[in-house]
Amino acid sequence: MSASISSNDPALKLLLAFIPEAEQALSVDSVADQLSQLSLNGHHVEGTNAVAQLLAATYNESLAGATDADKAEVSQWMTMSARHGPSERQIFAQTINDHLADKTYLVSNYLSLADLIAFGNVHAFMESLSSQKRFNWSGFSRWFDLIQHTVPAGALAKAGLKLIEIDLNAPAPAKKQVAAAGGKAEQPTSAEPKAAKQEKKEKEKKQPAAAKEEAKIVPSMIDLRVGHIVD
């Protein structure tokens, strides 16, 4: 009984670490640039989903789904979570967010392969998200935080994953500066000095010129000498 797990398959690494019986029973090798493979009880399967389902069927049937309908849904979620690329990851995150509006787990009301495999596949994507995005996808973020605290810390470490701090409080709004035409932030200026100067100017225009002071007649300034006219 052996398993070859791709070095680029954190989801299967996580699942193996989460099922200690499987980890102990199997001879596990890490391979690069190959599909993950599993040879177990006469079965040989390839690919993340097929390996995960065979592991669950052998060591932990409850993870595979309690009913046929649940099993089909588990398979569907695993397939969706395996799609790579930024746009696919965003669509998947939005899908989980909408799906979990009134649910806790991806399938029914219990932990399944769908949660574990999807969590492993989107871990790097969640790590790259801003606080605002995590807040906008609150359902997705709550689910992610639940799964990362359900999986033992040792299993996360074996899969090369780490706990990501999830804060569902609204992030503080960023301070914005209005850029002036020259490209520099426009500094607020006070118009008070200019306004005061203009007001003073207008007052000076309206104020009538001061009347010239009337000359006062002082007796000492009058020539009172008396003379007579000589023919």
Side-chain angles (χ1 to χ4, degrees), residues 10-25:
L12 271 185
K13 290 179 183 177
L14 179 68
L15 181 61
L16 272 172
F18 185 75
I19 308 176
E21 297 85 358
E23 190 178 32
Q24 293 168 7

Side-chain angles (χ1 to χ4, degrees), residues 25-94:
L26 295 172
S27 171
V28 181
D29 295 321
S30 179
V31 294
D33 302 323
Q34 293 183 30
L35 286 174
S36 295
Q37 302 177 31
L38 174 63
S39 296
L40 180 63
N41 297 335
H43 299 283
H44 181 82
V45 293
E46 294 183 350
T48 300
N49 291 3
V51 171
Q53 288 169 333
L54 183 54
L55 284 173
T58 305
Y59 297 103
N60 192 332
E61 284 189 282
S62 63
L63 290 175
T67 66
D68 288 342
D70 285 358
K71 288 176 182 177
E73 195 174 351
V74 165
S75 180
Q76 184 180 14
W77 280 110
M78 288 196 296
T79 299
M80 284 193 293
S81 75
R83 294 170 185 159
H84 296 283
S87 60
E88 287 85 354
R89 284 287 184 248
Q90 290 189 42
I91 292 171
F92 184 63
Q94 185 65 61

Side-chain angles (χ1 to χ4, degrees), residues 73 98-109 139 142-143:
E73 195 174 351
D98 296 341
H99 179 71
L100 295 179
D102 58 350
K103 297 178 178 66
T104 301
Y105 298 101
L106 294 181
V107 177
S108 193
N109 57 355
R142 273 197 303 270
W143 164 81

